[in-house]
């Protein structure tokens, strides 16, 4: 058994849905995890804002757009009139259901219920597309088995038991299910955060101990730098779990930050493939360490830097513990840290409790907050021992670097820059670290 996940662009049009159908139709047993059509989740997020603001006109417009988008797909990919009518009726029922949900009071659960409807709509249409093409399949409702309890630490055993029960009652070679949606420990509908269908795929992969998880997207694999900002990036053939986890956590959009964590213990490989070039090799992510040294660079935005300065007692016994406890109490994790004798600088990406954190620390130190920074992360197994890694420090001549973290792990060197310098930093590092000209090192 394999798990195959297809992302928003891969299922984003009638034409692409037919491509996905052809990729699946190879006689192998599989679970297929689908995202919503591209743009749909964004619309649903807007819908939740409409609910918050009680903007009835806005809500109606969004629902009309969603209805039209999905009815258009049905009109294009189904030949038989009765099928088109039946499916369109069902899509109308789902849209009416969404409308009813929008009349409820706003809550976290309401948000999750609304934003996950894109997956509900699309999987229904896609399962019927396979059926109408004579490809036997079974549509599984992810809300019945993705009972992860917590997003950070999903209860794989629980998902496994529930999913196996679902599969046993619906024998099929191809199972279709929704990415993104899940249930929390209170049994309420929740979601795995934006881009979470990748994570659904690996949670299912771990729950069923499958032979492989495939993530099908719109690019030919993991690249050595962010192709949205840098030209001439290259596909990477293989990444270790560690490398992929670091890159995804530090902003590589191709993978949800937590994608690899469920499959590491079980050693299940993750293969990244291109829906628009299915025969291309893609990128393999596994536990095997094939090469060491510099592999790739990624960037994570919306980072807040906090400098804590105290002339008297910074390095005094217990002082750092006091500072960290404040962050811990507000469940705010720290990404980078640097220290000097009188000051400590650290970064956070979740500034929900920033005001409270600053207020508490200001009781015994001077605190400065700088927003809109980006962490640029240079990743590879043993990257700190790479002969070329020293070149990255040339960046100091060109771009104001706020912090550097070197040696915290052998696999990651991070630098913090102002977000307005992010693209130039990525380009500069690409040139310095991935060009083939070698420099003689004279000591
Ligand atoms: P999907 O909708 O299939 O989940 P995403 O948009 O989430 O696709 O991820 C694929 C996109 O990630 C690519 O189109 C590319 O622009 C972007 N991306 C960012 N960093 C990388 C990288 N290092 N390698 C490949 N793609 C990357
Ligand atoms: N549809 C969801 C999103 O846009 C989940 C996903 O695409 O993975 O975030
Ligand atoms: Mg994605």
């Amino acid at each position: 058994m394999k798990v195959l996940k297809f992302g928003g662009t891969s299922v984003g049009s009638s034409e692409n849905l037919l491509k996905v159908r052809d990729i699946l139709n190879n006689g192998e047993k599989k679970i297929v995890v689908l995202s919503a059509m591209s743009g749909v989740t964004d619309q649903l997020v807007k819908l939740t804002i409409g609910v918050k603001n009680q903007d009835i006109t806005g809500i109606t417009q969004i629902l009309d757009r969603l209805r039209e988008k999905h009815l258009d797909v049905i009109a294009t990919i189904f030949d038989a009139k009765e099928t088109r009518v039946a499916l369109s009726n069902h899509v109308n029922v789902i849209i009416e259901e969404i409308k009813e949900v929008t009349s409820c009071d706003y809550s976290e659960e309401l948000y999750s219920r609304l934003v996950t409807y894109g997956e509900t709509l699309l999987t229904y249409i896609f399962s019927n597309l396979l059926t109408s093409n004579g490809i036997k399949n079974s549509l599984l409702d992810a809300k019945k088995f993705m009972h992860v309890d917590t997003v950070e630490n999903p209860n794989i055993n629980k998902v496994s038991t529930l999913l196996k029960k679902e599969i046993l009652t619906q024998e099929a070679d191809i199972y279709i299910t929704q990415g993104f949606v899940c249930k929390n420990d209170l049994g309420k509908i929740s979601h795995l955060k934006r881009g979470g269908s990748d994570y659904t795929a690996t949670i299912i992969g771990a729950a069923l101990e499958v032979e492989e998880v495939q993530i099908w997207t719109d690019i030919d694999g993991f690249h050595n730098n962010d192709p949205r900002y840098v030209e001439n990036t290259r596909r990477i053939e293989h990444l270790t779990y560690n490398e992929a986890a670091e890159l995804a956590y530090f902003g590589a959009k191709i993978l949800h930050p937590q994608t690899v964590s469920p499959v590491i213990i079980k050693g299940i490989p993750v293969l990244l493939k291109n829906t628009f070039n299915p025969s291309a090799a893609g990128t393999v992510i596994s536990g095997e360490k094939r090469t060491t040294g510099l592999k790739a660079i990624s960037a994570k935005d919306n980072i807040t830097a906090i400098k804590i300065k105290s002339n008297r007692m910074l390095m005094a016994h217990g002082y750092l513990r006091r500072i960290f406890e404040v962050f811990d109490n507000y469940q705010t994790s720290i990404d980078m840290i640097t220290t000097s004798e009188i000051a400590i600088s650290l970064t956070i990406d979740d500034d929900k409790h920033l005001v409270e954190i600053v207020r508490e620390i200001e009781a015994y130190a001077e605190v400065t907050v700088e927003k809109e920074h980006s962490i640029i992360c240079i990743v590879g197994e043993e990257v700190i021992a790479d002969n070329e890694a020293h070149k990255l420090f040339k960046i100091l001549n060109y771009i104001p670097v706020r912090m550097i973290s070197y040696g915290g792990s052998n696999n990651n060197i991070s630098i913090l820059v102002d977000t307005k310098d992010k693209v130039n930093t990525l380009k500069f590092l690409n040139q310095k670290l991935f060009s083939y000209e070698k420099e003689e090192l004279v000591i």
Side-chain angles (χ1 to χ4, degrees):
M1 176 88 100
K2 290 182 182 170
V3 179
L4 280 72
K5 174 259 169 175
F6 292 86
T9 320
S10 303
V11 296
S13 68
S14 303
E15 199 189 344
N16 295 355
L17 286 169
L18 300 179
K19 289 198 171 96
V20 173
R21 172 200 63 189
D22 295 342
I23 290 169
L24 296 182
N25 198 10
N26 62 2
E28 285 179 6
K29 214 171 160 71
K30 54 178 78 77
I31 297 206
V32 179
V33 175
L34 299 181
S35 298
M37 296 179 78
S38 55
V40 166
T41 312
D42 290 341
Q43 286 295 316
L44 291 165
V45 170
K46 283 200 183 124
L47 191 69
T48 66
I49 297 167
V51 174
K52 244 185 183 166
N53 300 337
Q54 303 195 330
D55 171 11
I56 306 292
T57 321
I59 291 174
T60 312
Q61 278 169 355
I62 293 171
L63 290 180
D64 286 346
R65 272 203 293 275
L66 288 176
R67 187 197 313 269
E68 201 179 319
K69 188 174 179 95
H70 291 90
L71 291 186
D72 273 357
V73 171
I74 291 171
T76 316
I77 59 177
F78 293 96
D79 294 330
K81 187 164 175 229
E82 16 351 326
T83 313
R84 287 206 299 262
V85 172
L87 298 192
S88 301
N89 285 343
H90 189 74
V91 163
N92 278 319
V93 169
I94 299 177
I95 298 284
E96 285 311 306
E97 192 180 303
I98 305 176
K99 195 173 166 190
E100 260 173 51
V101 179
T102 61
S103 63
C104 302
D105 287 339
Y106 190 86
S107 67
E108 242 174 71
E109 192 189 18
L110 181 101
Y111 177 91
S112 296
R113 283 177 72 188
L114 288 176
V115 296
T116 54
Y117 264 112
E119 277 73 10
T120 310
L121 284 160
L122 199 263
T123 47
Y124 170 75
I125 295 172
F126 188 77
S127 166
N128 277 284
L129 172 68
L130 295 190
T131 308
S132 72
N133 283 263
I135 305 168
K136 272 189 72 181
N137 71 96
S138 181
L139 178 60
L140 300 178
D141 180 358
K143 292 191 276 299
K144 291 197 175 149
F145 62 85
M146 281 295 290
H147 295 198
V148 297
D149 291 351
T150 64
V151 175
E152 293 69 31
N153 193 10
N155 188 338
I156 303 288
N157 288 337
K158 195 165 172 183
V159 174
S160 174
T161 310
L162 293 169
L163 177 53
K164 283 177 183 160
K165 212 162 79 190
E166 287 298 305
I167 285 176
L168 274 180
T169 53
Q170 305 190 43
E171 212 20 69
D173 279 342
I174 300 183
Y175 294 95
I176 312 288
T177 196
Q178 305 82 28
F180 192 36
V181 68
C182 64
K183 280 202 171 176
N184 63 21
D185 47 354
L186 303 171
K188 296 200 163 168
I189 294 177
S190 185
H191 64 90
L192 298 172
K193 309 218 170 111
R194 293 305 303 270
S197 301
D198 300 334
Y199 196 26
T200 306
T202 50
I203 291 172
I204 292 179
L208 296 182
E209 304 198 349
V210 298
E211 124 204 21
E212 179 176 279
V213 175
Q214 298 178 359
I215 311 258
W216 289 78
T217 182
D218 56 4
I219 189 164
D220 59 353
F222 214 114
H223 280 217
N224 62 345
N225 206 328
D226 195 323
R228 292 171 298 172
Y229 307 115
V230 180
E231 282 169 22
N232 304 322
T233 59
R234 292 196 293 264
R235 175 183 68 89
I236 299 167
E237 256 171 61
H238 177 265
L239 288 169
T240 63
Y241 290 129
N242 282 339
E243 290 168 334
E246 295 259 19
L247 290 163
Y249 181 75
F250 286 107
K253 182 172 182 263
I254 186 167
L255 285 182
H256 177 281
Q258 280 163 279
T259 306
V260 296
S261 63
V263 293
I264 296 178
I265 299 176
K266 308 209 162 153
I268 300 165
V270 177
L271 185 56
L272 306 184
K273 295 279 286 175
N274 187 351
T275 305
F276 309 106
N277 187 9
S279 58
T283 298
V284 178
I285 302 168
S286 73
E288 194 190 341
K289 207 196 269 188
R290 292 190 190 165
T291 54
T292 56
L294 176 67
K295 279 278 180 61
I297 303 174
S298 61
K300 184 174 174 180
D301 295 335
N302 299 319
I303 301 295
T304 301
I306 304 171
K307 188 195 267 177
I308 300 160
K309 200 170 153 206
S310 165
N311 289 328
R312 283 171 297 120
M313 45 192 262
L314 182 69
M315 289 307 151
H317 175 72
Y319 192 80
L320 286 178
R321 185 177 50 77
R322 267 175 83 189
I323 291 174
F324 291 145
E325 262 172 13
V326 177
F327 287 87
D328 195 39
N329 290 343
Y330 289 102
Q331 294 179 5
T332 301
S333 55
I334 296 168
D335 281 330
M336 281 177 81
I337 310 176
T338 56
T339 63
S340 77
E341 180 55 22
I342 57 155
I344 168 168
S345 276
L346 44 82
T347 70
I348 58 171
D349 71 347
D350 175 5
D351 60 6
K352 205 160 76 195
H353 298 293
L354 182 62
V355 174
E356 296 94 313
I357 289 171
V358 170
R359 194 184 311 127
E360 284 199 21
I361 299 176
E362 267 177 346
Y364 48 89
E366 193 184 306
V367 183
T368 321
V369 172
E370 295 166 44
K371 294 208 167 192
E372 283 178 50
H373 278 65
S374 298
I375 294 179
I376 313 286
C377 197
I378 297 132
V379 170
E381 295 281 347
E382 315 294 334
V383 69
I384 62 164
D386 190 306
N387 287 340
E388 302 295 301
H390 68 94
K391 290 182 183 171
L392 80 92
F393 292 104
K394 289 200 170 154
I395 192 106
L396 296 172
N397 295 335
Y398 302 95
I399 286 168
V401 171
R402 173 68 181 75
M403 284 167 72
I404 298 185
S405 171
Y406 179 92
S409 117
N410 289 346
N411 311 330
N412 172 336
I413 305 167
S414 298
I415 61 181
L416 184 74
V417 296
D418 199 310
T419 298
K420 70 174 165 33
D421 295 322
K422 173 183 83 169
V423 173
N424 280 341
T425 307
L426 288 174
K427 285 182 178 163
F428 179 91
L429 292 175
N430 211 53
Q431 235 176 46
K432 286 290 164 214
L433 298 176
F434 295 114
S435 68
Y436 288 110
E437 48 179 275
K438 303 261 178 226
E439 275 174 32
E440 278 300 317
L441 186 64
V442 183
I443 300 177

